[in-house]
Amino acid sequence: MKLAMLARNPNLYSHKRLVEAAEARGHTLDILNTTRCTVNIASHRPTVMYKGETLKGYEAVIPRIGASITAYGLAVLRQFEMGGVWPLNESVAIGRSRDKLRSTQIMAKYGLGLPLTAYANDPKQAEAIIKAVNGPPVVIKLLEGTQGIGVVLAETLKGGASIIEAFRGANIAIMVQEFIKEAGGSDIRCLVVGGKVVAAMKRQGAEGEFRSNLHRGGSAQLIKITPEERSTAVRAAKAMGLNVCGVDLLRSNHGPVIMEVNSSPGLEGIENATGKDIAGMIVEFIENNAKVGKTQTRGKG
């Protein structure tokens, strides 16, 4: 198969592993710098151009779109979809997952476990929002962001209100969630491929850090998850419409709650922690499912 990957950094562990896994199974995988792609919207046949040439012959595309270029990356991915190229994750699904408020609303609709969450536009309601999620302490999140960026822990009512007022004063959209103290600064990353949890690891935040992201100095280890945790991760991926994703769970006193669903999960931490060839599993899933024109939305929506 001839595969394409939308990514800006070909040297990242995850991207190199996917190339290795594809080539080991007899495929070619070209890494295309997402920001260098140009969409030809005026054409009767939707096309994507790269460095002045029209891209042809790709059977599937792996989107690894950075959070800072989500809008442009999704526009390029939609163009591939409209041209009949099968995407590992569809543009609509990625867009859902990147908007923390939208994804939380969708998961709540499907009855999935979530931290108490509040959202309001009026900064005068800051203290009421904090109390609505049983705080303080509370976690304040930007609606877009990954790897723990834009996530703040407010430990007092006045402090939390000041942070909310500052964000809203700068016209930055945020949401407020209850702080799951019993999680102890750790979470569980479940890697879902094709509706199955293929690997799971426990991530522990660095000393004094409430965020457990490995990019922020956290550590990872193999963990055995419960049937309820496995079911929650699978249902979250299905609710988002993602074929491949990382579902981050917290163990609360009232069962697993979903912290985030990541449509471009890193592979280094979880492959090292579990010893599993997850890149190979992803390529195998593409082999078994990629068909020209099979995209459900074909770039719509």
Side-chain angles (χ1 to χ4, degrees), residues 205-283:
E207 185 69 28
E209 174 62 74
F210 78 98
R211 294 168 293 185
S212 58
N213 305 76
L214 301 185
H215 288 83
R216 314 208 72 79
S219 59
Q221 65 185 63
L222 182 68
I223 189 174
K224 183 175 177 60
I225 59 174
T226 67
E228 185 181 9
E229 289 164 346
R230 186 176 298 274
S231 172
T232 297
V234 169
R235 290 167 60 209
K238 184 177 180 181
M240 291 294 102
L242 294 167
N243 292 319
V244 173
C245 62
V247 181
D248 298 337
L249 305 174
L250 297 177
R251 285 179 167 172
S252 76
N253 290 333
H254 47 87
V257 295
I258 300 167
M259 185 171 63
E260 186 176 2
V261 179
N262 190 324
S263 60
S264 297
L267 303 183
E268 184 172 12
I270 199 160
E271 282 198 339
N272 289 338
T274 64
K276 293 187 176 181
D277 177 16
I278 297 171
M281 296 178 190
I282 292 172
V283 173

Coordinates of all heavy atoms in Angstrom, one line a residue, residues 205-283:
G205 N 2.7 11.5 37.9 CA 3.3 12.8 37.8 C 4.6 12.9 38.6 O 4.8 12.2 39.6
A206 N 5.4 13.9 38.1 CA 6.7 14.1 38.9 C 6.3 14.7 40.2 O 5.2 15.2 40.5 CB 7.5 15.1 38.1
E207 N 7.3 14.7 41.2 CA 7.1 15.2 42.5 C 6.6 16.6 42.5 O 7.2 17.5 41.8 CB 8.4 15.2 43.3 CG 8.3 15.6 44.7 CD 7.6 14.6 45.6 OE1 7.6 13.4 45.2 OE2 7.0 15.0 46.6
G208 N 5.5 16.9 43.1 CA 4.9 18.2 43.2 C 4.1 18.6 42.0 O 3.6 19.7 41.9
E209 N 3.9 17.7 41.0 CA 3.2 18.0 39.7 C 1.9 17.2 39.7 O 1.9 15.9 39.8 CB 4.1 17.6 38.6 CG 3.5 17.7 37.2 CD 3.0 19.1 36.9 OE1 3.8 20.0 36.6 OE2 1.8 19.3 36.9
F210 N 0.8 17.9 39.5 CA -0.5 17.1 39.5 C -0.8 16.6 38.1 O -1.7 15.7 38.0 CB -1.7 18.1 39.9 CG -2.1 19.0 38.9 CD1 -3.3 18.8 38.1 CD2 -1.5 20.2 38.7 CE1 -3.7 19.6 37.1 CE2 -1.9 21.1 37.7 CZ -3.0 20.8 36.9
R211 N -0.1 17.0 37.1 CA -0.3 16.5 35.7 C 0.7 15.3 35.5 O 1.9 15.4 35.9 CB 0.0 17.6 34.7 CG -1.0 18.7 34.7 CD -0.5 19.9 33.9 NE 0.6 20.5 34.5 CZ 1.2 21.7 34.0 NH1 0.7 22.3 32.9 NH2 2.3 22.2 34.6
S212 N 0.2 14.2 34.9 CA 1.0 13.0 34.8 C 1.6 12.8 33.5 O 2.2 11.8 33.2 CB 0.1 11.8 35.1 OG -1.0 11.8 34.2
N213 N 1.5 13.8 32.6 CA 2.0 13.7 31.2 C 3.5 13.4 31.2 O 4.3 14.0 32.0 CB 1.8 15.0 30.4 CG 0.3 15.4 30.4 OD1 -0.2 15.9 31.4 ND2 -0.3 15.2 29.3
L214 N 3.9 12.4 30.4 CA 5.3 12.1 30.3 C 6.2 13.2 29.8 O 7.3 13.4 30.2 CB 5.5 10.9 29.4 CG 4.7 9.6 29.8 CD1 5.1 8.5 28.8 CD2 5.0 9.2 31.2
H215 N 5.6 14.1 29.0 CA 6.3 15.3 28.5 C 6.6 16.3 29.6 O 7.4 17.2 29.5 CB 5.5 16.0 27.4 CG 5.5 15.3 26.1 ND1 4.6 14.3 25.9 CD2 6.2 15.4 25.0 CE1 4.8 13.8 24.6 NE2 5.8 14.5 24.1
R216 N 5.9 16.1 30.8 CA 6.1 17.0 31.9 C 6.9 16.3 33.0 O 6.8 16.7 34.2 CB 4.8 17.5 32.4 CG 3.8 18.0 31.3 CD 2.9 19.0 31.8 NE 3.6 20.3 32.0 CZ 3.9 21.2 31.0 NH1 3.6 20.9 29.8 NH2 4.5 22.3 31.3
G217 N 7.7 15.3 32.6 CA 8.5 14.6 33.6 C 7.9 13.4 34.3 O 8.5 12.9 35.3
G218 N 6.7 13.0 33.9 CA 6.0 11.9 34.5 C 6.7 10.6 34.2 O 7.5 10.5 33.2
S219 N 6.4 9.5 34.9 CA 6.9 8.2 34.6 C 5.8 7.2 34.2 O 4.6 7.5 34.5 CB 7.7 7.6 35.8 OG 6.8 7.6 36.9
A220 N 6.1 6.1 33.6 CA 5.1 5.2 33.1 C 5.5 3.8 33.5 O 6.6 3.4 33.6 CB 5.0 5.3 31.6
Q221 N 4.4 3.0 33.8 CA 4.7 1.6 34.0 C 3.5 0.8 33.6 O 2.3 1.3 33.4 CB 4.9 1.3 35.5 CG 3.7 1.7 36.4 CD 3.9 1.6 37.9 OE1 4.8 2.3 38.4 NE2 3.3 0.6 38.5
L222 N 3.7 -0.5 33.3 CA 2.6 -1.4 32.9 C 1.6 -1.5 34.0 O 1.9 -1.6 35.2 CB 3.2 -2.8 32.6 CG 2.3 -3.9 32.0 CD1 1.8 -3.5 30.7 CD2 3.0 -5.2 32.0
I223 N 0.3 -1.6 33.6 CA -0.8 -1.7 34.6 C -1.8 -2.7 34.0 O -2.1 -2.7 32.8 CB -1.4 -0.4 34.9 CG1 -2.3 -0.5 36.1 CG2 -2.1 0.2 33.7 CD1 -2.9 0.8 36.6
K224 N -2.5 -3.4 34.9 CA -3.6 -4.2 34.5 C -4.9 -3.5 34.8 O -5.2 -3.1 36.0 CB -3.6 -5.5 35.3 CG -4.8 -6.5 34.9 CD -4.6 -7.8 35.7 CE -5.8 -8.8 35.3 NZ -5.9 -9.1 33.9
I225 N -5.7 -3.2 33.8 CA -6.9 -2.4 34.0 C -8.1 -3.3 34.3 O -8.1 -4.5 33.9 CB -7.2 -1.5 32.7 CG1 -7.3 -2.4 31.5 CG2 -6.1 -0.5 32.6 CD1 -7.8 -1.5 30.3
T226 N -9.1 -2.7 34.8 CA -10.3 -3.5 35.2 C -11.2 -3.6 34.0 O -11.1 -2.8 33.0 CB -11.1 -2.8 36.3 OG1 -11.6 -1.5 35.8 CG2 -10.2 -2.5 37.5
P227 N -12.2 -4.5 33.9 CA -13.1 -4.6 32.8 C -13.9 -3.3 32.7 O -14.2 -2.9 31.5 CB -14.1 -5.7 33.3 CG -13.2 -6.6 34.1 CD -12.3 -5.7 34.9
E228 N -14.2 -2.6 33.8 CA -14.9 -1.3 33.7 C -14.1 -0.3 33.0 O -14.6 0.5 32.2 CB -15.4 -0.8 35.1 CG -16.2 0.4 35.0 CD -16.7 0.9 36.4 OE1 -16.2 0.4 37.4 OE2 -17.5 1.8 36.5
E229 N -12.8 -0.2 33.3 CA -11.9 0.7 32.7 C -11.7 0.4 31.2 O -11.7 1.4 30.4 CB -10.5 0.7 33.4 CG -10.6 1.3 34.8 CD -9.4 1.0 35.7 OE1 -8.6 0.1 35.3 OE2 -9.3 1.6 36.7
R230 N -11.6 -0.8 30.9 CA -11.5 -1.2 29.5 C -12.7 -0.8 28.7 O -12.7 -0.3 27.6 CB -11.3 -2.7 29.4 CG -11.0 -3.3 28.0 CD -10.7 -4.8 28.0 NE -9.5 -5.1 28.8 CZ -8.3 -5.0 28.4 NH1 -8.1 -4.8 27.1 NH2 -7.3 -5.3 29.2
S231 N -13.9 -1.1 29.3 CA -15.2 -0.7 28.6 C -15.3 0.8 28.4 O -15.8 1.3 27.4 CB -16.3 -1.3 29.4 OG -17.6 -0.8 28.9
T232 N -14.9 1.5 29.5 CA -15.0 3.0 29.4 C -14.1 3.5 28.3 O -14.5 4.4 27.5 CB -14.5 3.6 30.7 OG1 -15.4 3.2 31.8 CG2 -14.6 5.1 30.7
A233 N -12.9 3.0 28.1 CA -12.0 3.5 27.1 C -12.5 3.2 25.7 O -12.5 4.0 24.8 CB -10.6 2.8 27.2
V234 N -13.1 2.0 25.5 CA -13.6 1.6 24.2 C -14.9 2.4 23.9 O -15.0 2.9 22.7 CB -14.0 0.1 24.2 CG1 -14.8 -0.3 23.0 CG2 -12.7 -0.8 24.3
R235 N -15.7 2.7 24.8 CA -16.9 3.5 24.6 C -16.6 4.9 24.3 O -17.2 5.6 23.5 CB -17.8 3.4 25.8 CG -18.5 2.0 26.0 CD -19.1 1.9 27.3 NE -20.2 2.9 27.5 CZ -20.5 3.3 28.7 NH1 -19.9 2.9 29.8 NH2 -21.5 4.2 28.8
A236 N -15.5 5.4 24.9 CA -15.1 6.8 24.7 C -14.6 6.9 23.2 O -14.9 7.9 22.5 CB -14.0 7.2 25.7
A237 N -13.8 6.0 22.8 CA -13.3 6.0 21.4 C -14.4 6.0 20.4 O -14.4 6.7 19.4 CB -12.3 4.9 21.2
K238 N -15.4 5.1 20.7 CA -16.6 5.0 19.8 C -17.4 6.3 19.8 O -17.8 6.7 18.7 CB -17.4 3.8 20.3 CG -18.6 3.5 19.4 CD -19.4 2.3 19.8 CE -20.6 2.1 18.9 NZ -21.4 0.9 19.3
A239 N -17.6 6.9 21.0 CA -18.3 8.1 21.0 C -17.7 9.2 20.2 O -18.4 10.0 19.6 CB -18.5 8.6 22.5
M240 N -16.4 9.3 20.2 CA -15.6 10.3 19.5 C -15.6 9.9 18.0 O -15.3 10.8 17.1 CB -14.2 10.4 20.0 CG -14.1 11.1 21.4 SD -14.6 12.8 21.4 CE -16.2 12.6 22.1
G241 N -15.7 8.6 17.6 CA -15.6 8.2 16.3 C -14.2 8.0 15.8 O -13.9 8.0 14.6
L242 N -13.3 7.7 16.8 CA -11.9 7.5 16.5 C -11.5 6.1 16.4 O -11.8 5.3 17.3 CB -11.0 8.2 17.6 CG -11.1 9.7 17.7 CD1 -10.5 10.2 19.0 CD2 -10.4 10.4 16.5
N243 N -10.8 5.7 15.3 CA -10.3 4.3 15.2 C -9.1 4.1 16.1 O -8.9 3.0 16.6 CB -9.9 4.1 13.7 CG -11.0 4.1 12.8 OD1 -12.1 3.5 13.1 ND2 -10.9 4.7 11.6
V244 N -8.2 5.1 16.2 CA -7.0 5.0 17.1 C -7.0 6.2 18.0 O -7.1 7.3 17.5 CB -5.7 4.9 16.2 CG1 -4.5 5.0 17.1 CG2 -5.7 3.7 15.4
C245 N -6.8 6.0 19.3 CA -6.7 7.1 20.2 C -6.2 6.6 21.5 O -6.1 5.5 21.8 CB -8.1 7.7 20.4 SG -9.3 6.7 21.2
G246 N -5.7 7.6 22.3 CA -5.3 7.4 23.7 C -6.4 7.9 24.6 O -6.8 9.1 24.5
V247 N -7.0 7.1 25.5 CA -8.0 7.5 26.4 C -7.4 7.6 27.8 O -6.9 6.6 28.3 CB -9.2 6.6 26.4 CG1 -10.3 7.1 27.4 CG2 -9.8 6.4 25.0
D248 N -7.4 8.8 28.4 CA -6.8 9.0 29.7 C -7.9 8.9 30.8 O -8.8 9.7 30.8 CB -6.1 10.3 29.7 CG -4.9 10.4 28.7 OD1 -4.4 9.3 28.3 OD2 -4.6 11.5 28.3
L249 N -7.7 8.0 31.7 CA -8.7 7.8 32.8 C -8.0 8.1 34.1 O -6.8 7.9 34.4 CB -9.1 6.3 32.8 CG -9.7 5.7 31.5 CD1 -9.9 4.2 31.7 CD2 -11.0 6.4 31.1
L250 N -8.9 8.5 35.1 CA -8.5 8.7 36.5 C -9.3 7.7 37.3 O -10.5 7.4 37.0 CB -8.8 10.1 37.0 CG -8.1 11.2 36.3 CD1 -8.6 12.6 36.9 CD2 -6.6 11.1 36.5
R251 N -8.7 7.1 38.3 CA -9.4 6.2 39.2 C -10.0 7.0 40.3 O -9.3 7.5 41.2 CB -8.5 5.1 39.7 CG -8.2 4.0 38.7 CD -7.2 3.0 39.2 NE -7.2 1.8 38.2 CZ -6.4 0.8 38.3 NH1 -5.4 0.8 39.3 NH2 -6.4 -0.2 37.4
S252 N -11.3 7.2 40.3 CA -12.0 8.0 41.3 C -12.7 7.1 42.3 O -12.9 5.9 42.0 CB -12.9 9.0 40.7 OG -14.1 8.3 40.3
N253 N -13.2 7.7 43.4 CA -14.0 6.9 44.3 C -15.3 6.4 43.8 O -15.9 5.5 44.3 CB -14.3 7.8 45.6 CG -13.0 8.0 46.4 OD1 -12.1 7.2 46.3 ND2 -13.0 9.1 47.1
H254 N -15.7 7.0 42.6 CA -17.0 6.5 42.0 C -16.7 5.9 40.6 O -17.6 5.9 39.7 CB -18.0 7.6 41.9 CG -17.5 8.9 41.4 ND1 -17.4 9.2 40.0 CD2 -16.9 10.0 42.0 CE1 -16.9 10.4 39.9 NE2 -16.6 10.9 41.0
G255 N -15.6 5.3 40.5 CA -15.3 4.5 39.3 C -14.4 5.3 38.3 O -14.0 6.5 38.6
P256 N -14.0 4.8 37.2 CA -13.2 5.5 36.2 C -13.9 6.7 35.6 O -15.0 6.6 35.2 CB -12.9 4.4 35.1 CG -14.0 3.5 35.2 CD -14.5 3.4 36.7
V257 N -13.1 7.8 35.5 CA -13.6 9.0 34.9 C -12.6 9.4 33.8 O -11.4 9.2 33.9 CB -13.8 10.2 35.9 CG1 -14.9 9.9 36.9 CG2 -12.5 10.5 36.6
I258 N -13.1 9.9 32.7 CA -12.3 10.2 31.5 C -11.8 11.6 31.6 O -12.6 12.6 31.8 CB -13.2 10.1 30.2 CG1 -13.7 8.7 30.1 CG2 -12.3 10.5 29.0 CD1 -14.7 8.5 29.0
M259 N -10.5 11.8 31.5 CA -9.9 13.1 31.5 C -9.7 13.7 30.1 O -10.0 14.8 29.9 CB -8.5 13.0 32.2 CG -7.8 14.3 32.4 SD -6.3 14.0 33.4 CE -5.3 13.0 32.4
E260 N -9.4 12.8 29.2 CA -9.1 13.3 27.8 C -9.1 12.1 26.8 O -8.8 11.0 27.2 CB -7.8 14.1 27.7 CG -7.6 14.8 26.4 CD -6.3 15.6 26.4 OE1 -5.6 15.6 27.5 OE2 -6.0 16.2 25.4
V261 N -9.5 12.4 25.6 CA -9.3 11.5 24.5 C -8.4 12.1 23.5 O -8.7 13.2 22.9 CB -10.6 11.1 23.8 CG1 -10.4 10.1 22.7 CG2 -11.6 10.5 24.9
N262 N -7.2 11.5 23.2 CA -6.2 12.1 22.4 C -6.2 11.3 21.0 O -5.9 10.1 21.0 CB -4.8 11.9 23.1 CG -3.7 12.7 22.4 OD1 -3.7 12.8 21.1 ND2 -2.8 13.2 23.1
S263 N -6.4 12.1 19.9 CA -6.5 11.5 18.6 C -5.2 11.2 18.0 O -5.1 10.5 17.0 CB -7.3 12.4 17.7 OG -6.7 13.7 17.6
S264 N -4.1 11.7 18.5 CA -2.7 11.5 18.0 C -1.8 11.0 19.2 O -0.9 11.8 19.6 CB -2.1 12.7 17.3 OG -2.9 13.0 16.2
P265 N -2.1 9.9 19.8 CA -1.4 9.5 21.0 C 0.1 9.2 20.7 O 0.4 8.6 19.6 CB -2.1 8.2 21.5 CG -2.7 7.7 20.2 CD -3.1 8.9 19.4
G266 N 1.0 9.6 21.6 CA 2.4 9.2 21.4 C 2.6 7.7 21.7 O 1.9 7.1 22.5
L267 N 3.5 7.1 21.0 CA 3.8 5.7 21.1 C 5.0 5.3 22.0 O 5.1 4.2 22.5 CB 4.0 5.1 19.7 CG 2.8 5.3 18.7 CD1 3.2 4.6 17.4 CD2 1.5 4.9 19.2
E268 N 5.9 6.3 22.2 CA 7.1 5.9 22.9 C 6.9 5.4 24.3 O 7.4 4.3 24.7 CB 8.1 7.1 22.9 CG 9.4 6.8 23.5 CD 10.4 8.0 23.4 OE1 10.0 9.1 23.0 OE2 11.6 7.7 23.6
G269 N 6.2 6.2 25.1 CA 6.0 5.8 26.5 C 5.2 4.5 26.6 O 5.7 3.6 27.4
I270 N 4.2 4.3 25.9 CA 3.4 3.1 26.0 C 4.1 1.9 25.4 O 3.9 0.7 25.9 CB 1.9 3.3 25.5 CG1 1.0 2.2 26.1 CG2 1.9 3.3 24.0 CD1 -0.5 2.6 26.0
E271 N 4.8 2.0 24.3 CA 5.5 0.9 23.8 C 6.6 0.4 24.7 O 6.9 -0.7 24.9 CB 6.1 1.2 22.4 CG 5.1 1.2 21.3 CD 5.7 1.1 19.9 OE1 6.9 1.5 19.7 OE2 5.0 0.7 18.9
N272 N 7.3 1.4 25.3 CA 8.4 1.1 26.2 C 7.9 0.5 27.5 O 8.5 -0.5 28.1 CB 9.2 2.3 26.6 CG 10.1 2.8 25.4 OD1 10.4 2.0 24.5 ND2 10.4 4.1 25.4
A273 N 6.7 1.0 28.0 CA 6.1 0.5 29.2 C 5.5 -0.9 29.1 O 5.6 -1.7 30.0 CB 5.1 1.4 29.8
T274 N 5.0 -1.2 27.9 CA 4.3 -2.5 27.7 C 5.1 -3.5 26.9 O 4.8 -4.7 26.9 CB 2.9 -2.3 27.0 OG1 3.2 -1.7 25.7 CG2 2.1 -1.3 27.8
G275 N 6.1 -3.0 26.1 CA 6.8 -3.9 25.3 C 6.0 -4.4 24.0 O 6.4 -5.3 23.4
K276 N 4.9 -3.7 23.7 CA 4.1 -4.1 22.6 C 4.4 -3.3 21.3 O 4.8 -2.1 21.4 CB 2.6 -3.9 23.0 CG 2.2 -4.9 24.0 CD 0.7 -4.8 24.3 CE 0.2 -5.8 25.3 NZ -1.3 -5.8 25.5
D277 N 4.2 -3.9 20.2 CA 4.5 -3.3 18.9 C 3.2 -2.6 18.5 O 2.4 -3.1 17.6 CB 4.9 -4.3 17.9 CG 5.1 -3.8 16.5 OD1 5.2 -2.5 16.3 OD2 5.1 -4.5 15.5
I278 N 2.9 -1.5 19.1 CA 1.6 -0.8 18.8 C 1.6 -0.2 17.4 O 0.6 -0.2 16.7 CB 1.4 0.3 19.9 CG1 1.2 -0.4 21.2 CG2 0.1 1.1 19.5 CD1 1.1 0.5 22.4
A279 N 2.8 0.3 16.9 CA 2.9 0.8 15.6 C 2.5 -0.3 14.6 O 1.7 0.0 13.6 CB 4.3 1.3 15.3
G280 N 2.9 -1.5 14.8 CA 2.6 -2.6 13.9 C 1.1 -2.9 13.9 O 0.5 -3.2 12.9
M281 N 0.5 -2.8 15.1 CA -1.0 -3.0 15.2 C -1.7 -2.0 14.5 O -2.8 -2.3 13.8 CB -1.4 -2.9 16.7 CG -0.8 -4.0 17.6 SD -1.3 -3.8 19.3 CE -0.3 -5.0 20.1
I282 N -1.3 -0.7 14.5 CA -1.9 0.4 13.7 C -1.8 0.1 12.2 O -2.8 0.2 11.5 CB -1.3 1.7 14.1 CG1 -1.7 2.1 15.6 CG2 -1.8 2.8 13.2 CD1 -1.0 3.3 16.1
V283 N -0.7 -0.3 11.8 CA -0.5 -0.6 10.3 C -1.4 -1.8 9.9 O -2.0 -1.7 8.9 CB 1.0 -0.8 10.0 CG1 1.1 -1.3 8.6 CG2 1.8 0.5 10.2

